[in-house]
Amino acid sequence: MEVQKVLEEVLRRVKPSDGERERIRVAVNEVTSRLKGLEAEIHGSFAKDTWLSGDTDVDLFVFFPKALGKEYLSKEGLREILGRLEGMETRLAYAEHPYVIVRVDGIEIDVVPALRVESGDQAITAVDRTPFHTEYVREKLSDEGRDQVRLLKRFLKGIGVYGAEIKVLGFSGYVSELLVIGYGSFLEVLRSASDWKPPVKLVLEREGKEFESPLIIPDPVDPRRNAAAAVSLKSLATLSLASRYFLDRPSLDFFYPPPPGEQEVVGEVLVTQIKIEEPFVEDVLWGQLRKSVERIRTSLASSGFNVIDVGWCQDNDLKILVQLETSSVGDHYLGQGPPFYLRQSMGFLSSNERVWIGEDGRLYTIRRRKETDPNRIVAHSLSLKYKYSITQYQLKEAKDDCVRAFLRKRPLWLK
Amino acid sequence: MEVQKVLEEVLRRVKPSDGERERIRVAVNEVTSRLKGLEAEIHGSFAKDTWLSGDTDVDLFVFFPKALGKEYLSKEGLREILGRLEGMETRLAYAEHPYVIVRVDGIEIDVVPALRVESGDQAITAVDRTPFHTEYVREKLSDEGRDQVRLLKRFLKGIGVYGAEIKVLGFSGYVSELLVIGYGSFLEVLRSASDWKPPVKLVLEREGKEFESPLIIPDPVDPRRNAAAAVSLKSLATLSLASRYFLDRPSLDFFYPPPPGEQEVVGEVLVTQIKIEEPFVEDVLWGQLRKSVERIRTSLASSGFNVIDVGWCQDNDLKILVQLETSSVGDHYLGQGPPFYLRQSMGFLSSNERVWIGEDGRLYTIRRRKETDPNRIVAHSLSLKYKYSITQYQLKEAKDDCVRAFLRKRPLWLK
């Protein structure tokens, strides 16, 4: 398929219709009419007109005077908002501070309390910067530019690196907008990305300070902050390789990946199914999960297992997937000691039973493994601050797409 | 046991009696009487009076004029000797050149053809230097010194590092003599050895050139040659550690090690029993065996096996012993590819089926192992130039001391 045809088809799908736009506007008006007398403003991708059709998630900010301080937001501020929305379908959600999600006509509107500051670099909480982001993007993006952002967002979603949350560590909506502003168009972002070698730096207005990240984009409204700080090396690499591939062989698969299909289990795959047994903040949980996965990888390796891959799956439940070359290790292993000429070699000789001198003049010994059951190592390395329970089993057959994608390995956009 | 008591007891056992000395002299005379008119001379430890009681191996050299050249030795020289010894119990043996072993009254006498040269550094074959070695050692060693050499030789035998042949790569008789000459006594050799850190250098007369060996002793009669060139790092380390231990806890075990006793099989031990099916030169065979053992070690490791140790055994037959943490590896293994930003990453993506991007931005893949049977890997890595056949099995129980010593690991002198 020719690249222009692909992009036209994607745009046809992601550009909201006038009807959809109107439906959201009506829903938002219903909420803002309740907030009269408060400083309520629409921000986020709906305000910037860079949202994707079907992603009906609107950000409504309620600003309080800076002097009230950030503690005010999560207490009085939140109470005020909840009071005004009484009778509507609301629930609480948690980011840096709690906020309210209200549902109107199937549309979810996040009502977020924030502090009113005079410029981006005076932000006290992360959301205080938002009005300046909205203003900057509105000013810099033309109608055409907004569609280019839509293409890029859909592309990033398709290849699995959209979103700055810890689960993804990918490209936020704002970073997508900055990339299009910086490089000019969707295809120019891809052309540039296909040549990326980290660290990658994109300066739109002014440099701020030195950052240590794979991708560095000083926030135009607050250059002390790296807008792309969340982007992991893996996400950067994924965008770069997918860009090279797409430019070479454009296809809708990058935007709308096909399902992974049936997959053979290669090596041995151990599943640890996790049930979280109390309310949790998604980002906090994923932070703990990421750390646990790293610990699982290290512990298994240092216990003699050859690890192929460790991954996770989140659909109906949460699963950690450990793929090993084999799940059986010996009861004993080779232990290395000091070279003979170091004084500690005498202690090594005395304190080890089976000890010998190698061809290299070092001492060696045979040690008994403390743990040979990989499932127990996974269970011990898993550390979540929430109450949870686990079920462990060996994977024989993969029925859901999430596990199948883990087994497939090959990115879905790669034929 | 006090150190002096130990040494007295060892000397009592290793110092030949007058009767033994006389028996050998009679046997040697019987041979020399056949060699009248030829330049026959006794050399080696019997001539230097540093031999151990019971080691009735005498070197008798027959010198031919240098002008005849070294080809003469293995042809006419050898034929001449064989002719003179007709009717006696003789057989041929091979070192750098062939020589004759003649057996008289249970005593083996090596009759070695050599070239007469004017000084050690004019030697054409290795044995031409021998008369100068004999002369040097006789001049430098007192009666007391000769007993000190006997103690050192017995110690080196006891800890398994006596002999320069490829099987041992240890300390030759001549090196033992030079060590005592250099350091003064058996105990002084041990005191010095316990502080060794390679490379170790002992210069008795003059330095020759630069050598690259763990132990460097320029030959006093030919300083272009390192007399200790054969000593491996492992043998050096063994002498050093045994010396430290002996000085701390002297015992007869160092000179006369106890049998290893029954041993449990730890890990999995694969035995490859080798039958050599044609006449062979011991040193040539052991050169090939040592190389094979290194190849076995490398091949097993690169095929995913965790190797504890590879050793050998020589009693009734020749065995290679491979000790693994476990003999089972998976059918698949993790393959590492280039970082995403290198151009070859595209080729890696195209040419591998299961391929993914790691957290570190590198590409990875799953590969199928070519070989998962460790016995086949051992058989393929074994390469001897002689005709041979092998039998392979897994060790369940160790009955002979040689295999038991391999399983024990711990040196026999270590309680």
Side-chain angles (χ1 to χ4, degrees):
Chain A
M1 211 170 174
E2 194 197 315
V3 64
Q4 281 313 325
K5 290 254 184 275
V6 172
L7 301 190
E8 275 165 29
E9 173 58 24
V10 176
L11 260 189
R12 203 184 56 72
R13 298 192 199 181
V14 296
K15 205 169 172 172
S17 66
D18 289 347
E20 187 178 357
R21 210 179 287 271
E22 188 51 30
R23 224 187 97 216
I24 295 177
R25 199 165 289 136
V26 169
V28 169
N29 283 343
E30 203 178 320
V31 177
T32 46
S33 68
R34 298 281 199 108
L35 300 170
K36 268 193 188 114
L38 293 176
E39 281 191 47
E41 289 173 14
I42 302 172
H43 286 290
S45 58
F46 187 71
K48 293 180 278 188
D49 194 19
T50 57
W51 51 293
L52 303 186
S53 169
D55 283 359
T56 48
D57 185 2
V58 184
D59 293 330
L60 193 65
F61 280 60
V62 179
F63 290 97
F64 294 93
K66 185 181 168 188
L68 293 177
K70 61 177 178 174
E71 273 69 39
Y72 184 88
L73 299 181
S74 29
K75 292 178 186 168
E76 291 86 346
L78 196 72
R79 210 178 304 141
E80 171 81 32
I81 292 168
L82 279 172
R84 297 292 191 101
L85 300 180
E86 220 177 298
M88 300 183 87
E89 185 188 341
T90 58
R91 65 177 203 275
L92 279 183
Y94 300 83
E96 190 184 342
H97 290 289
Y99 60 96
V100 180
I101 302 176
V102 53
R103 208 178 156 84
V104 182
D105 185 24
I107 293 155
E108 295 214 322
I109 300 167
D110 295 354
V111 186
V112 183
L115 293 176
R116 174 69 78 194
V117 293
E118 268 146 46
S119 63
D121 55 11
Q122 289 179 28
I124 292 168
T125 82
V127 292
D128 306 345
R129 249 180 242 107
T130 306
F132 307 99
H133 290 167
T134 307
E135 191 188 345
Y136 183 78
V137 172
R138 272 181 159 161
E139 184 191 314
K140 293 287 178 180
L141 279 182
S142 62
D143 273 6
E144 174 55 25
R146 288 195 264 278
D147 283 349
Q148 297 296 309
V149 170
R150 287 190 168 96
L151 288 172
L152 180 58
K153 282 184 175 182
R154 188 60 245 175
F155 188 84
L156 294 169
K157 275 187 190 234
I159 63 172
V161 295
Y162 183 73
E165 62 268 28
I166 296 182
K167 185 185 171 184
V168 180
L169 294 184
F171 302 81
S172 66
Y174 183 49
V175 167
S176 312
E177 290 153 355
L178 295 181
L179 286 171
V180 170
I181 293 169
Y183 294 116
S185 72
F186 168 71
L187 284 178
E188 283 308 318
V189 171
L190 264 54
R191 279 190 199 108
S192 169
S194 52
D195 279 331
W196 278 350
K197 181 179 171 182
V200 176
K201 202 168 181 177
L202 171 64
V203 179
L204 295 177
E205 303 295 328
R206 328 159 256 168
E207 298 221 31
K209 48 169 203 158
E210 288 295 309
F211 296 104
E212 282 214 19
S213 295
L215 180 60
I216 297 160
I217 308 180
D219 187 345
V221 311
D222 182 2
R224 295 168 315 170
R225 176 185 169 259
N226 176 12
V231 177
S232 70
L233 191 53
K234 181 179 177 176
S235 295
L236 184 90
T238 302
L239 174 57
S240 181
L241 284 170
S243 295
R244 271 194 246 164
Y245 249 82
F246 177 81
L247 294 172
D248 195 37
R249 273 162 270 181
S251 129
L252 270 178
D253 288 350
F254 291 83
F255 300 90
Y256 302 100
E262 283 188 24
Q263 298 293 331
E264 186 197 348
V265 179
V266 159
E268 292 188 46
V269 177
L270 309 176
V271 181
T272 300
Q273 200 166 306
I274 304 172
K275 205 177 145 201
I276 309 293
E277 294 177 331
E278 60 178 320
F280 60 90
V281 178
E282 185 90 10
D283 235 32
V284 174
L285 175 68
W286 277 98
Q288 297 169 4
L289 274 171
R290 275 202 181 264
K291 277 199 190 111
S292 294
V293 161
E294 270 327 292
R295 256 197 311 271
I296 288 170
R297 205 184 273 278
T298 319
S299 306
L300 285 169
S302 70
S303 299
F305 292 93
N306 291 333
V307 179
I308 294 177
D309 195 11
V310 182
W312 57 60
C313 242
Q314 192 183 26
D315 34 35
N316 296 327
D317 46 37
L318 192 58
K319 296 187 188 91
I320 289 186
L321 303 161
V322 172
Q323 190 167 23
L324 301 172
E325 288 180 17
T326 169
S327 66
S328 63
V329 282
D331 293 335
H332 293 84
Y333 68 98
L334 175 68
Q336 200 187 48
F340 74 93
Y341 51 82
L342 294 185
R343 276 288 141 182
Q344 58 260 48
S345 60
M346 296 300 276
F348 193 86
L349 275 178
S350 317
S351 59
N352 288 289
E353 165 78 18
R354 291 188 175 84
V355 66
W356 73 99
I357 304 160
E359 297 291 340
D360 57 358
R362 292 192 89 104
L363 294 178
Y364 289 90
T365 189
I366 301 179
R367 296 219 168 93
R368 181 174 275 279
R369 287 199 191 284
K370 288 188 189 76
E371 185 57 83
T372 57
D373 176 357
N375 273 325
R376 277 224 290 273
I377 295 171
V378 172
H380 285 153
S381 309
L382 187 65
S383 155
L384 307 178
K385 301 285 160 56
Y386 299 105
K387 257 178 68 182
Y388 67 100
S389 61
I390 60 168
T391 316
Q392 296 184 303
Y393 56 92
Q394 186 168 346
L395 190 73
K396 294 294 170 204
E397 193 193 0
K399 287 181 186 157
D400 52 297
D401 279 352
C402 172
V403 177
R404 284 175 170 179
F406 174 78
L407 291 178
R408 178 186 148 107
K409 302 291 177 210
R410 200 171 179 75
L412 297 168
W413 42 266
L414 250 181
K415 274 275 182 289
Chain B
M1 212 170 175
E2 194 196 318
V3 63
Q4 283 311 326
K5 290 256 183 268
V6 172
L7 301 190
E8 275 165 27
E9 172 58 24
V10 176
L11 260 188
R12 203 185 57 73
R13 299 192 198 180
V14 296
K15 205 168 171 173
S17 68
D18 289 348
E20 187 178 357
R21 212 179 286 271
E22 189 53 29
R23 224 186 96 215
I24 295 175
R25 201 168 285 136
V26 169
V28 170
N29 283 343
E30 203 179 318
V31 178
T32 46
S33 69
R34 299 282 199 108
L35 300 172
K36 271 196 187 117
L38 292 176
E39 282 190 48
E41 290 172 14
I42 302 173
H43 287 289
S45 58
F46 187 72
K48 293 180 278 189
D49 194 19
T50 56
W51 52 292
L52 302 187
S53 169
D55 282 359
T56 49
D57 185 2
V58 183
D59 293 330
L60 193 66
F61 280 59
V62 179
F63 292 96
F64 295 93
K66 185 180 168 188
L68 293 176
K70 61 178 178 174
E71 274 68 41
Y72 183 88
L73 298 181
S74 32
K75 291 176 185 165
E76 291 87 345
L78 197 72
R79 210 180 303 141
E80 172 80 32
I81 292 168
L82 279 171
R84 298 291 193 99
L85 300 180
E86 220 176 297
M88 298 183 88
E89 187 189 343
T90 59
R91 65 177 203 277
L92 279 182
Y94 301 83
E96 189 184 342
H97 290 290
Y99 61 96
V100 180
I101 302 176
V102 54
R103 207 177 155 86
V104 182
D105 185 25
I107 293 155
E108 295 215 322
I109 300 167
D110 294 353
V111 186
V112 184
L115 294 176
R116 176 67 79 193
V117 293
E118 268 146 45
S119 64
D121 56 10
Q122 289 178 29
I124 292 166
T125 81
V127 292
D128 306 345
R129 250 180 240 105
T130 305
F132 306 99
H133 290 168
T134 307
E135 192 188 346
Y136 183 78
V137 172
R138 274 181 158 160
E139 185 190 311
K140 295 286 178 181
L141 279 182
S142 62
D143 272 4
E144 175 54 24
R146 289 195 265 276
D147 283 348
Q148 297 296 308
V149 170
R150 286 189 170 96
L151 289 172
L152 181 58
K153 283 184 175 180
R154 188 59 246 176
F155 188 85
L156 294 169
K157 276 188 191 234
I159 64 170
V161 296
Y162 183 73
E165 61 269 27
I166 294 179
K167 184 184 171 184
V168 181
L169 295 182
F171 301 81
S172 67
Y174 182 49
V175 167
S176 311
E177 290 153 354
L178 296 180
L179 285 171
V180 170
I181 293 170
Y183 294 115
S185 72
F186 168 70
L187 285 177
E188 283 307 318
V189 172
L190 264 53
R191 279 190 199 109
S192 171
S194 53
D195 278 331
W196 278 350
K197 183 181 169 178
V200 176
K201 204 167 179 177
L202 171 64
V203 179
L204 295 176
E205 304 293 328
R206 327 159 257 166
E207 298 220 32
K209 48 168 201 159
E210 287 296 311
F211 296 104
E212 282 213 18
S213 294
L215 180 61
I216 298 160
I217 307 180
D219 188 346
V221 312
D222 182 1
R224 293 168 315 170
R225 177 186 168 257
N226 175 13
V231 177
S232 70
L233 190 53
K234 181 180 176 172
S235 295
L236 183 91
T238 303
L239 174 56
S240 180
L241 284 170
S243 295
R244 270 194 249 164
Y245 248 83
F246 177 80
L247 294 172
D248 195 37
R249 272 162 270 183
S251 132
L252 271 177
D253 289 350
F254 291 85
F255 300 90
Y256 302 100
E262 284 189 23
Q263 298 293 331
E264 185 197 350
V265 179
V266 159
E268 292 188 48
V269 177
L270 309 176
V271 182
T272 300
Q273 200 167 306
I274 305 172
K275 204 176 147 202
I276 309 292
E277 295 180 329
E278 60 178 319
F280 60 88
V281 178
E282 185 90 9
D283 234 33
V284 174
L285 176 67
W286 277 98
Q288 296 167 5
L289 274 172
R290 275 199 181 266
K291 276 199 190 112
S292 294
V293 162
E294 269 327 291
R295 255 197 311 271
I296 288 170
R297 206 184 273 280
T298 318
S299 306
L300 285 170
S302 71
S303 298
F305 292 93
N306 291 334
V307 179
I308 293 177
D309 196 12
V310 182
W312 55 61
C313 241
Q314 193 183 26
D315 36 34
N316 296 327
D317 46 36
L318 191 60
K319 296 187 188 91
I320 290 184
L321 303 162
V322 172
Q323 191 168 23
L324 302 173
E325 289 180 16
T326 169
S327 67
S328 63
V329 283
D331 292 335
H332 294 84
Y333 67 99
L334 175 68
Q336 199 187 48
F340 75 93
Y341 51 82
L342 295 185
R343 277 289 140 183
Q344 57 260 48
S345 60
M346 296 301 275
F348 193 87
L349 275 179
S350 317
S351 59
N352 288 289
E353 164 79 16
R354 290 189 177 82
V355 67
W356 72 99
I357 304 160
E359 296 290 342
D360 57 358
R362 290 192 90 102
L363 294 178
Y364 289 89
T365 190
I366 301 179
R367 296 218 168 92
R368 180 174 276 279
R369 288 202 190 282
K370 288 189 189 73
E371 184 58 84
T372 58
D373 176 357
N375 273 324
R376 277 224 291 273
I377 294 170
V378 172
H380 285 152
S381 308
L382 186 66
S383 156
L384 307 177
K385 301 285 160 55
Y386 298 106
K387 257 177 69 181
Y388 66 100
S389 61
I390 60 168
T391 317
Q392 296 184 302
Y393 56 92
Q394 186 167 346
L395 189 72
K396 293 293 171 204
E397 193 191 0
K399 286 181 188 158
D400 52 297
D401 279 353
C402 171
V403 177
R404 284 175 170 180
F406 174 78
L407 291 179
R408 178 186 148 105
K409 302 293 174 208
R410 197 170 182 76
L412 297 167
W413 43 267
L414 249 183
K415 274 278 182 288

